[in-house]
Amino acid sequence: MRDPNFEQCVQACYECAIACDVCAAICLEDEPARMKRCIGLCTDCAAVCRLCAAMLARNGEFSTALCTLCALVCDACARECSPHGAQHCQICAGACLGCTLACRDMLER
């Protein structure tokens, strides 16, 4: 039987990936030079979140390690996006925080 936090974590990972994709795309369009770190972290975060969700779904051997990495990357992305006032950055920061918490919940099992 799967961990009860499994579905919540997978959903949080996918929601975070989408929010990061949107944030990176808008920042790239609006202010690429000033938002370089935000764009990079959002891009990395989206990739890690998608991989984490897929590995969790397969109950992959390295799911725990990837959840740990996902929580770290999401936390860094949330800290980068949260000071920016743009709505897409705030949405991204919130999704990243949610994913960080969901991954940490999976790790506490």
Side-chain angles (χ1 to χ4, degrees):
M1 180 169 206
R2 290 192 189 264
D3 184 288
N5 296 320
F6 164 78
E7 286 184 28
Q8 180 184 351
C9 190
V10 170
Q11 184 66 32
C13 285
Y14 281 127
E15 287 174 8
C16 186
I18 292 166
C20 286
D21 284 341
V22 168
C23 188
I26 294 172
C27 287
L28 189 58
E29 208 173 273
D30 291 348
E31 303 180 75
R34 188 174 78 83
M35 301 300 282
K36 183 178 178 180
R37 185 161 192 270
C38 181
I39 295 164
L41 277 172
C42 284
T43 302
D44 290 347
C45 190
V48 170
C49 286
R50 283 190 178 89
L51 182 58
C52 187
M55 194 171 288
L56 285 170
R58 308 190 283 279
N59 197 25
E61 183 177 345
F62 296 98
S63 294
T64 301
L66 195 51
C67 265
T68 301
L69 175 63
C70 191
L72 290 171
V73 174
C74 286
D75 185 58
C77 193
R79 283 186 277 113
E80 175 63 28
C81 287
S82 63
H84 301 293
Q87 183 181 13
H88 58 88
C89 286
Q90 293 301 307
I91 291 169
C92 185
C96 287
L97 180 58
C99 192
T100 298
L101 297 173
C103 284
R104 287 182 182 157
D105 284 348
M106 282 294 293
L107 294 169
E108 291 177 3
R109 57 184 156 124

